[in-house]
Amino acid sequence: MAELYLDGSVEDIIYSNSENGYTVCVINCGGEPITLVGIMPYLAEGETIRVQGDWTTHSTFGKQFRVNYFEKKLPATADAILRYLASGAIKGIGPVTAERIVDKFGEDTLDVIENNPRWLCDIRGISPKRADSIHESYVEQFGMRTVMMYCNEFFGPAISVRIFKAYGSAAIDIIKRTPYRLCDDILGIGFEKADRVAMSLGFSPDSPERAEAGIIHVLNLAAMNGGHCYLPEETLLADSAKILGVAEKTAMVAAERLVSNERLKSFSIGETKNYALSDLYSAEVYTAAKLKALSDFKFPYVLEGLDEQIDALEERYGIKYAPEQREAIGYALTGGVTVITGGPGTGKTTVIKAILEICNILKFSCVLAAPTGRAAKRMFESSGKEAKTIHRMLEASISDNGAHHFSRDEDNPITQKVIIIDEMSMVDANLMCALLKAVKTGSYLILIGDPDQLPPVGPGNCLNDIIASNRFNVVKLDKIFRQAEQSLIITNAHAINRGEMPILNIRTNDFFFVEKKPEETLPLIVSFVAERLPKRYGADPLEDIQLISCTRIGSLGTKELNAVFQEKLNPRSPRKTDRKYGSVVFREGDKVMQIKNDYDLVWKRGAEEGTGVFNGDIGRITEIDLKGECLTVDFEGKATKYDFSQLEELEHAYAVTAHKSQGSEYRIVVIPAFNAPYPLMTRNLLYTAVTRAREMVVIVGESRSIATMVNNNRIPVRHTALKTLLAMI
């Protein structure tokens, strides 16, 4: 169906988001008021606009026109110009000044503002400086119009707004001359989109600019999808040539050109030549050098009496530390870098508590952090000391193009002497580098994690590389303590990790398995989550039970499970407001997860107010305000408002993937066991899912699928340089 066009003057601005241009307004279209919704930045009452889009029907507000493209038309009559200027659309002009200007210049007013702004000085109260400011504001607005019109051929309005904000009125010239620059500068524009623009502008398929952008694209994909910090030359050239449709020699010349202008770094490991994005390579180089500096630091004093302090703690709490635990405590408080690893039930929390107790006695200041909000919360609950996300500790912010900025760095380091980082298996190369930049030499850095869990979502494999380098004090806690031995969750987790089948035939403990065919699995899972577990154990199906799947797709993937459980646990109701975003319907009462770090989101908890919601945080939608175009999510008491244009940051969380569950802990975990794509059916994925449970694990499905995962210890190779770099210095 062809899109429609409407022309009219803006009568009322109901809602406008200055950040992304999302606007709800009413226009007068031939005497008929029509509500428009869509991205229409810098719109003001009195303006005449042409919009392109289609009609929609809102469940509450009725018939609306959804705008896909718009352009402003200059108001033509003196009355229209007066209304436009009086609306405050142009900085420096209010209602009184607008009337004075229009009284003097009439229908020529806008031409004067654009081409002869100093004539405005004839108006009482307008200085030359103010006249220039009025001119700049006017030109900026209509520069936006020109850019939006040009970009409409290639991009949606949201990306067009980002382009204008990045480049201003020079945007069109920049796009025409260097279209591949868009990949680097504009969030949401990848190589494919920039390539389409370039091809339409007549760039040659074998142009140097295209080849360079394609190589950067291949390395970015490798980092995002495979966790690689570099690629071997053979792999990079073959993949780049395939994507670009050019000879490998063309790709090689482009790669060397990128090396010469320092966008790539080439280096060899053994006889293999490799290429890395310069920033990512620099992150690994910095990490290696800083870890060595921290480890080599000679403290100006020697701590004595640690054994006596540990003995005193044993007596105070009536416990007996294992030799490995005593060793870990000693290393942590005498060396610059200490790594403590171990699976569930091996006493990592006990070690952290002891370190904190002794630090308190020694008057050492401490800070605790973890990669995600839920992991930080677990750290706080187990230690009794405040814990932050690493991003929060580093006082992170994010730029318009999605890049992170950390206020804590070498010039403004972390002030505490002892820095304890938990869930280190989740920390990627870039975050590790940012963390170490904020750590002063002479600090005690204690890294805690389980290397057998899934690797980071981002590039790098820091924890495993640090351990494998054999350059630091590493203590592996492998003794399962008596209390933990009574838990089938713990014993089965360790069995899985050893490559042994978990015990599946005991139903009197905290680990249950029910054998079912694939077509029978989902109905039983629904019964367990919605009825049987809540009835028998008093578990809230939304707060206490978490579904974890190994994949997003398929009948037992998170996408389908979320749709099923939304309908089961939070069905449509006249008392609940819905909002559709793409193919997803958000509803009041829904369980949702934040899927990216957003440092600017404002939350309120009573009189307390703060900013920042983080990847992995789970909450409930408490209100959807259709008129205000926003919804509110309660994250454990923190009420957070989302503009509808920000809904890409949320997804349903009735079911989550094992990757998304990392760092979290749930009272009861329910896992479907089914035949998923083989690369996802891995031992460490099953191990990660099982170890998320605090009180109970329920697995429903096929035992042969569990066996496949236990036996599949295939760990995809990650090309990382950290281990090699640590060995070289």
Side-chain angles (χ1 to χ4, degrees):
M1 183 173 132
E3 289 195 321
L4 306 173
Y5 289 88
L6 296 177
D7 294 278
S9 61
V10 180
E11 296 291 316
D12 185 24
I13 304 291
I14 297 172
Y15 172 81
S16 180
N17 184 313
S18 61
E19 288 299 311
N20 55 34
Y22 187 86
T23 302
V24 180
C25 69
V26 176
I27 64 168
N28 183 334
C29 186
E32 179 186 0
I34 294 175
T35 300
L36 308 180
V37 294
I39 295 180
M40 296 172 281
Y42 297 121
L43 207 57
E45 293 177 13
E47 289 189 289
T48 301
I49 60 174
R50 161 166 278 207
V51 296
Q52 180 188 40
D54 49 55
W55 292 102
T56 63
T57 302
H58 195 284
S59 58
T60 301
F61 302 115
K63 193 175 182 182
Q64 297 178 333
F65 193 82
R66 184 164 295 279
V67 176
N68 296 322
Y69 165 74
F70 91 110
E71 62 179 78
K72 296 183 181 183
K73 294 184 174 182
L74 293 174
T77 67
D79 286 344
I81 293 171
L82 175 60
R83 187 163 180 225
Y84 166 61
L85 295 180
S87 71
I90 304 298
K91 292 178 183 177
I93 300 180
V96 174
T97 305
E99 189 170 358
R100 290 173 181 166
I101 294 172
V102 175
D103 281 348
K104 183 169 183 62
F105 299 111
E107 294 179 359
D108 296 326
T109 294
L110 298 182
D111 181 66
V112 169
I113 292 173
E114 182 175 9
N115 299 308
N116 298 286
R118 288 300 178 96
W119 292 6
L120 297 174
C121 296
D122 292 342
I123 307 296
R124 181 160 50 92
I126 298 182
S127 64
K129 184 178 179 180
R130 186 178 176 189
D132 291 341
S133 176
I134 290 169
H135 166 75
E136 289 169 6
S137 177
Y138 177 84
V139 169
E140 179 185 15
Q141 284 209 33
F142 285 90
M144 162 74 86
R145 178 189 66 174
T146 305
V147 171
M148 294 285 287
M149 289 174 64
Y150 180 80
C151 289
N152 181 60
E153 182 182 347
F154 310 114
F155 311 111
I159 289 180
S160 298
V161 171
R162 290 178 195 153
I163 291 171
F164 180 77
K165 286 193 169 186
Y167 303 142
S169 56
I172 296 173
D173 184 53
I174 289 172
I175 293 171
K176 286 180 176 178
R177 287 188 295 104
T178 55
Y180 292 105
R181 180 175 163 185
L182 295 166
C183 304
D184 300 322
D185 297 345
I186 310 299
L187 184 66
I189 298 182
F191 172 76
E192 291 92 347
K193 287 182 180 179
D195 198 37
R196 284 197 295 271
V197 174
M199 292 299 100
S200 72
L201 293 171
F203 276 70
S204 169
D206 59 357
S207 68
E209 298 91 342
R210 182 170 185 265
E212 291 176 14
I215 286 170
I216 297 292
H217 172 62
V218 168
L219 286 167
N220 277 324
L221 280 181
M224 291 186 293
N225 298 337
H228 301 298
C229 292
Y230 69 85
L231 286 178
E233 180 181 51
E234 182 179 353
T235 303
L236 176 63
L237 298 184
D239 290 353
S240 299
K242 183 177 179 180
I243 284 176
L244 293 165
V246 300
E248 287 192 18
K249 184 176 180 180
T250 301
M252 183 176 69
V253 171
E256 288 304 316
R257 198 163 47 243
L258 287 166
V259 171
S260 67
N261 63 31
E262 298 185 346
R263 294 195 66 191
L264 295 190
K265 175 71 177 178
S266 67
F267 61 98
S268 294
I269 296 179
E271 296 182 359
T272 303
K273 184 177 181 180
N274 308 293
Y275 290 91
L277 297 167
S278 291
D279 288 349
L280 201 45
Y281 182 77
S282 295
E284 290 206 287
V285 169
Y286 184 92
T287 294
K290 187 61 174 282
L291 284 171
K292 183 176 185 298
L294 290 169
S295 180
D296 290 348
F297 181 77
K298 301 300 181 186
F299 292 93
Y301 45 81
V302 176
L303 288 177
E304 296 180 348
L306 275 179
D307 283 338
E308 289 77 7
Q309 293 288 355
I310 296 171
D311 291 341
L313 290 176
E314 287 183 332
E315 185 175 347
R316 184 185 308 167
Y317 295 112
I319 60 175
K320 183 69 176 176
Y321 295 115
E324 296 85 359
Q325 290 179 308
R326 295 182 74 101
E327 183 181 36
I329 297 165
Y331 279 152
L333 293 171
T334 56
V337 178
T338 301
V339 181
I340 303 170
T341 74
T346 57
K348 295 192 297 292
T349 297
T350 302
V351 169
I352 293 174
K353 286 182 175 179
I355 292 169
L356 291 173
E357 290 257 15
I358 295 173
C359 284
N360 186 51
I361 293 168
L362 296 172
K363 301 282 193 289
F364 283 0
S365 57
C366 299
V367 62
L368 278 61
T372 68
R374 293 184 74 86
K377 183 186 176 189
R378 285 180 61 199
M379 209 176 181
F380 163 71
E381 290 171 345
S382 62
S383 70
K385 180 175 173 61
E386 180 191 10
K388 303 177 180 180
T389 65
I390 298 174
H391 286 84
R392 175 64 71 190
M393 179 178 68
L394 299 180
E395 299 174 15
S397 59
I398 196 162
S399 63
D400 289 340
N401 67 354
H404 289 125
H405 171 73
F406 299 98
S407 295
R408 292 286 178 182
D409 55 19
E410 292 161 309
D411 297 323
N412 182 30
I414 297 166
T415 57
Q416 288 85 353
K417 188 166 190 62
V418 180
I419 301 162
I420 304 176
I421 308 296
D422 199 7
E423 295 289 354
M424 264 298 299
S425 63
M426 300 175 68
V427 176
D428 64 28
N430 288 316
L431 184 57
M432 188 66 183
C433 176
L435 168 66
L436 290 173
K437 283 184 177 180
V439 177
K440 293 183 294 187
T441 304
S443 301
Y444 297 95
L445 179 64
I446 303 163
L447 308 176
I448 300 171
D450 186 344
D452 296 316
Q453 287 191 29
L454 292 167
V457 174
N461 202 6
C462 296
L463 178 61
N464 281 276
D465 284 348
I466 291 168
I467 294 170
S469 73
N470 294 317
R471 293 295 301 267
F472 308 100
N473 292 325
V474 178
V475 181
K476 182 176 182 180
L477 306 177
D478 51 15
K479 173 180 167 47
I480 303 175
F481 287 87
R482 185 176 302 169
Q483 185 177 358
E485 283 181 334
Q486 299 170 7
S487 166
L488 207 54
I489 295 175
I490 302 297
T491 55
N492 273 344
H494 285 273
I496 290 167
N497 203 27
R498 291 191 301 268
E500 302 168 4
M501 276 294 286
I503 298 169
L504 302 177
N505 58 356
I506 297 178
R507 297 193 181 184
T508 57
N509 207 288
D510 55 3
F511 191 107
F512 300 88
F513 171 72
V514 183
E515 183 85 42
K516 287 294 176 183
K517 296 177 181 178
E519 63 272 17
E520 300 171 327
T521 298
L522 182 56
L524 185 56
I525 284 177
V526 171
S527 174
F528 271 127
V529 173
E531 299 160 9
R532 294 165 68 169
L533 292 171
K535 183 177 180 180
R536 181 161 183 179
Y537 298 102
D540 185 313
L542 291 175
E543 298 296 330
D544 298 328
I545 304 173
Q546 185 59 59
L547 273 159
I548 299 179
S549 178
C550 63
T551 179
R552 290 180 58 87
I553 59 175
S555 61
L556 292 169
T558 58
K559 187 174 181 181
E560 182 64 25
L561 289 172
N562 275 317
V564 169
F565 277 93
Q566 182 191 41
E567 193 57 37
K568 183 68 178 178
L569 300 177
N570 190 34
R572 189 182 299 275
S573 165
R575 297 186 298 275
K576 297 176 184 175
T577 303
D578 284 350
R579 167 69 185 192
K580 189 171 184 181
Y581 183 80
S583 61
V584 178
V585 174
F586 290 105
R587 181 175 300 141
E588 289 175 343
D590 271 344
K591 182 179 181 179
V592 293
M593 174 184 280
Q594 174 78 12
I595 59 172
K596 61 181 287 190
N597 292 325
D598 191 324
Y599 311 100
D600 299 322
L601 276 174
V602 177
W603 53 261
K604 293 182 179 180
R605 180 165 52 195
E608 183 186 5
E609 185 172 301
T611 59
V613 181
F614 302 99
N615 186 9
D617 287 352
I618 290 179
R620 299 277 293 277
I621 298 176
T622 56
E623 180 185 13
I624 297 179
D625 181 356
L626 296 174
K627 189 172 182 180
E629 296 278 324
C630 64
L631 62 76
T632 302
V633 179
D634 185 291
F635 292 103
E636 299 177 340
K638 295 179 179 179
T640 308
K641 280 195 174 182
Y642 289 77
D643 183 272
F644 283 168
S645 63
Q646 297 173 294
L647 295 186
E648 63 185 16
E649 297 186 16
L650 294 173
E651 64 180 32
H652 287 118
Y654 300 98
V656 300
T657 63
H659 275 100
K660 286 292 185 185
S661 74
Q662 269 191 285
S664 299
E665 186 178 73
Y666 313 98
R667 181 182 169 193
I668 300 173
V669 166
V670 178
I671 304 169
F674 60 102
N675 188 27
Y678 186 72
L680 295 174
M681 298 184 70
T682 62
R683 182 187 301 173
N684 62 353
L685 190 146
L686 178 61
Y687 173 74
T688 299
V690 167
T691 54
R692 298 309 91 202
R694 185 170 65 250
E695 295 181 14
M696 185 179 297
V697 170
V698 177
I699 303 180
V700 181
E702 298 181 298
S703 55
R704 64 179 182 178
S705 295
I706 297 174
T708 297
M709 298 182 83
V710 169
N711 292 323
N712 181 11
N713 198 30
R714 173 184 173 272
I715 300 174
V717 173
R718 287 196 170 203
H719 295 299
T720 63
L722 181 58
K723 177 184 172 183
T724 301
L725 290 166
L726 286 169
M728 291 167 54
I729 58 176

